[in-house]
Amino acid sequence: MTFGDMAPTNQPRPDVADPLAPLELSVPHAPKARVALVGRLCEIVSWPESRLPVYERQLAADILVGLLRTSNVELRQRCALGLARVTDAPKALLRYLARDEISVALPLLENGAGFDDSDLVATIRAGMAAHWLAISRRRHLTESVTDALIQTGDTTSIEAVLRNQGARLSTQGVDLVVARSRQAASLPALLVARNEIRPTQALVLFWWAGFEARLQILRRFAVDRNVLIQELGDVFKLAAAEGWADADTRKTLQVIERRQRNRAAAAQSPYGSLEGALAAAEHGLDRGLIHEIAHLAGVKPTTASQIFADPAGEAIGVFCKAVGLKRPLMIGLWKALRRPNGDPDSTNNPLGRAAYVFDTLATAKAQTVLRYWNWSFTADAANIERATFNDGDTDMALARRNATLLFNRNS
């Protein structure tokens, strides 16, 4: 007997040309089996290894990923939420869900316990801004993860990293934020508050930071040098006895020494003193006179030019306090530089902010800042254009990096 012979003979065959009657459902169709299967598999992959062999867990995870690819958003969300607290969930499943749309991935990216650094870095490289921001808010972030987030260049994510007290920043990461902060005005104030920032980074950041961030930089990193001066007193005597023959020793001790002005330059200057040069500046200030003022003040002309060109003006207050000028001479230099007039007793204008820094910063601390600027920007103009961020961790590499950030407006 064939399969066709089994058909009842006492009923008429339907005409194949007749349309089938539509199905009438009393309730909308719901894939109950799929929901149950996904839910059960999510539970299974969450079991401890003592209950489920590793290879069987991996098989369940692979099956689950295949199902989730064609499941609706709500089902994927439920699965992601259920796996957020599982510390040993299968990596392939976690990475798949972490790269899903943000409504699915959010609980895992913010709080997922099963991720290691490589998972997070891979997700950052494959994700988008919403995913970066979610990772930035995780309770604990290592340097490798924050480096990856900072390298995205996304300002909102970088802000979240800087606000995250559980995030740790590497020196390279801080360097990248310093560079990025030139185009993102919100970053300097957040970065200055971080413990990881070093003096050289902060004092480069100073040049494009706002007033409040600049004050915080000066409060944190403008320190006196009493201990260094005291402990290295005998070294000063040795270097002097050798006629300051070692150039590197001379430059290093110049950063530390107590005296700021260049007495030898004053003895040879046609103006006789720094005050004399500033008096001449009231009749006009050209490049030659700026160079003369720089030599008398004990700094390089490049350093003085950068200070005098500071749009906000606080750097001028640091300079004038460091070289021991009186307040009227500071205001006189301001006018000689053709800077905008303002009330020197109010901080609502550049002159007032420069005067505030001058009035509140101790001379020794102002000298430390000025010496740091003068020491860090030692690259000449040719080196500045060729400098990269891959020169290593030498003093000259540091100087070139700082000079590149400061003078190369496209960095």
Side-chain angles (χ1 to χ4, degrees), residues 77-327:
Q77 288 172 340
R78 289 168 59 183
C79 185
L81 191 60
L83 292 173
R85 295 184 180 182
V86 179
T87 58
D88 58 350
K91 295 294 186 181
L93 176 59
L94 287 179
R95 289 194 178 195
Y96 171 75
L97 291 169
R99 300 178 190 185
D100 205 332
E101 62 180 84
I102 193 62
S103 65
V104 175
L106 186 64
L108 284 173
L109 296 179
E110 287 189 340
N111 301 302
F115 290 108
D116 57 27
D117 286 357
S118 64
D119 297 323
L120 293 172
V121 171
T123 302
I124 292 166
R125 291 173 178 169
M128 295 183 293
H131 296 70
W132 302 334
L133 182 59
I135 295 174
S136 301
R137 293 194 290 253
R138 288 178 68 88
R139 182 172 297 180
H140 301 291
L141 294 174
T142 64
E143 290 91 341
S144 60
V145 178
T146 57
D147 278 352
L149 287 167
I150 292 167
Q151 287 166 2
T152 66
D154 181 64
T155 300
T156 303
S157 298
I158 296 173
E159 289 175 358
V161 169
L162 296 179
R163 289 191 179 98
N164 187 345
Q165 295 303 306
R168 299 199 306 267
L169 305 181
S170 68
T171 298
Q172 177 191 5
V174 175
D175 280 339
L176 292 173
V177 179
V178 170
R180 176 64 180 166
S181 69
R182 291 193 61 174
Q183 290 80 38
S186 61
L187 295 181
L190 294 172
L191 182 56
V192 170
R194 298 289 308 195
N195 292 330
E196 296 95 338
I197 191 168
R198 297 165 59 185
T200 183
Q201 295 164 325
L203 292 172
V204 171
L205 181 68
F206 177 94
W207 295 105
W208 50 85
F211 178 56
E212 294 299 330
R214 284 184 164 193
L215 291 183
Q216 192 169 356
I217 290 170
L218 294 175
R219 288 167 185 151
R220 280 189 63 185
F221 300 106
V223 296
D224 57 39
R225 306 173 310 285
N226 290 336
V227 174
L228 288 174
I229 291 171
Q230 181 178 353
E231 294 298 320
L232 297 176
D234 57 333
V235 180
F236 279 97
K237 294 178 182 178
L238 288 173
E242 295 173 353
W244 305 98
D246 187 336
D248 288 339
T249 299
R250 183 180 70 252
K251 291 176 182 178
T252 300
L253 292 178
Q254 284 174 345
V255 177
I256 300 168
E257 70 171 329
R258 192 182 305 277
R259 186 176 63 248
Q260 175 63 49
R261 297 195 194 188
N262 187 338
R263 294 182 181 179
Q268 299 175 4
S269 174
Y271 304 103
S273 67
L274 179 59
E275 284 79 5
L278 292 174
E282 295 179 4
H283 305 291
L285 190 61
D286 56 21
R287 177 174 295 183
L289 189 49
I290 288 177
H291 284 201
E292 187 69 19
I293 291 171
H295 289 306
L296 291 167
V299 298
K300 294 177 175 62
T302 301
T303 305
S305 296
Q306 176 64 29
I307 290 170
F308 295 160
D310 178 33
E314 292 92 346
I316 297 173
V318 172
F319 172 84
C320 293
K321 193 58 175 277
V323 298
L325 295 179
K326 302 297 183 183
R327 198 172 194 264

Side-chain angles (χ1 to χ4, degrees), residues 341-354:
N341 292 325
D343 182 358
D345 297 317
S346 173
T347 58
N348 64 1
N349 65 92
L351 174 57
R353 290 190 284 271

